[in-house]
Amino acid sequence: MSARTKARKRAIDLLYGADLRQRSIADALVEEQRRAADQPAREASWRYAREIVEGVDEHRESIDEAITAHALGWTLERMPVLDRAILRAGVWEILHNDEVPDAVAISEAVQLASELSTDDSGSFVNGVLSAIARDR
């Protein structure tokens, strides 16, 4: 597993945990920073995970608007918490990180959704992110 793939999973874990516990992203980042300091072997994945999470936090309103506009028939509140986290990270990569090709962001998000969430999550995430990438 590449460092970026590990970082994406770590970012999704942070976003998921903060959303589930209804705590701020800033608090989740402080806690994870402490953990990262104690585990130097995970430093490579921590830098990009932090970049994703901070980016999602900074652009949360526009990211959520893009998801809502492209998730036909679904509100953010109705989506599984894990799917929301995966979509937010994927949308940030598509809209705000020019270093990552859209196809890579979509593929990584679909893979994580397929592994970690419901049976239908992979295709749902693929549809939403593909539509956002197409329309940007």
Side-chain angles (χ1 to χ4, degrees), residues 58-127:
E58 180 181 345
H59 300 283
R60 176 81 164 265
E61 189 174 320
S62 65
I63 288 170
D64 285 355
E65 286 173 4
I67 293 168
T68 301
H70 292 87
L72 304 177
W74 285 85
T75 63
L76 279 171
E77 296 76 23
R78 189 171 160 228
M79 292 176 196
V81 176
L82 187 53
D83 291 2
R84 268 197 312 262
I86 293 168
L87 284 168
R88 285 172 172 155
V91 172
W92 177 80
E93 283 193 311
I94 291 168
L95 298 181
H96 301 286
N97 187 350
D98 293 334
E99 294 176 17
V100 177
D102 293 352
V104 171
I106 294 166
S107 176
E108 291 275 338
V110 168
Q111 183 66 34
L112 287 166
S114 296
E115 289 175 11
L116 303 173
S117 196
T118 71
D119 291 342
D120 297 326
S121 292
S123 58
F124 176 70
V125 166
N126 184 52

Side-chain angles (χ1 to χ4, degrees), residues 12-25:
I12 288 163
D13 288 344
L14 276 164
L15 293 168
Y16 170 77
D19 195 2
L20 189 65
R21 293 180 186 100
Q22 298 180 349
R23 50 189 294 213
S24 74
I25 298 284

